[in-house]
Amino acid sequence: MPFTPAELSDRAEITDVIHRYAWALDTRDWALLDTCFTTDAHADYSSNPGGKAGPYTEVRGWLEHQLAAFVMMQHLMVNTEITLDGDAATVRTMVVNPMGARTKEGPPHVFYVGGRYDDEFVRTAGGWKISRRVETLLWFEGTLPPELIRA
């Protein structure tokens, strides 16, 4: 069944948020990241080693602190599925994420992560935003440097 012009517009706007999220993380633009989430959003990154879940405002600080250890990362968002329901949407996106961490010994310690974001989006006065995100770690290639493993 074909999409209506309004559905195509909604899907494009939601896809833009997903891509903006990746750019915000990879460039460490925390103000840009804030534009992706509602002020009362819930974020769950607990499937990651040392991960955190809770209100976005708290989890954002955790992301900023954790990602400071990485000299390289590239969140590649792929295979997005969007289900629209009026002013709400259910979205799932696969992510492939090569990362390189600072080490005490020299060159970046590189590893790869694959996962999935399960999101709930809502239409707001400022456009579509994530109101709930759950990240699920699906695979991990390589190892974390010991200095990154936090109890």
Side-chain angles (χ1 to χ4, degrees):
M1 186 156 124
F3 294 115
T4 67
E7 289 170 330
L8 289 172
S9 176
D10 288 340
R11 294 170 64 79
E13 289 179 38
I14 289 168
T15 301
D16 282 351
V17 173
I18 292 165
H19 294 164
R20 187 167 65 240
Y21 168 87
W23 278 101
L25 286 183
D26 293 341
T27 61
R28 294 168 179 80
D29 186 338
W30 307 113
L32 183 63
L33 186 66
D34 291 344
T35 70
C36 299
F37 291 87
T38 61
T39 56
D40 62 346
H42 178 83
D44 183 346
Y45 293 85
S46 61
S47 76
N48 274 302
K52 183 173 180 67
Y56 166 72
T57 53
E58 293 176 17
V59 174
R60 180 213 191 259
W62 172 82
L63 281 169
E64 188 172 350
H65 174 74
Q66 295 296 319
L67 296 180
F70 297 96
V71 292
M72 58 171 267
M73 61 185 158
Q74 189 175 31
H75 289 76
L76 304 169
M77 308 304 231
V78 297
N79 301 343
T80 298
E81 179 183 75
I82 300 168
T83 304
L84 297 168
D85 185 15
D87 290 337
T90 302
V91 181
R92 61 185 185 169
T93 303
M94 300 298 259
V95 59
V96 177
N97 184 10
M99 300 186 78
R102 287 187 184 97
T103 63
K104 296 175 184 171
E105 290 79 37
H109 179 102
V110 177
F111 58 94
Y112 302 86
V113 179
R116 184 180 76 227
Y117 293 117
D118 290 292
D119 297 327
E120 294 173 17
F121 273 73
V122 294
R123 186 191 320 266
T124 71
W128 285 95
K129 295 189 181 221
I130 302 165
S131 60
R132 180 174 178 79
R133 165 160 282 179
V134 177
E135 179 187 57
T136 302
L137 182 65
L138 298 174
W139 56 268
F140 196 99
E141 178 67 32
T143 59
L144 286 173
E147 60 266 27
L148 282 184
I149 298 172
R150 296 176 172 89

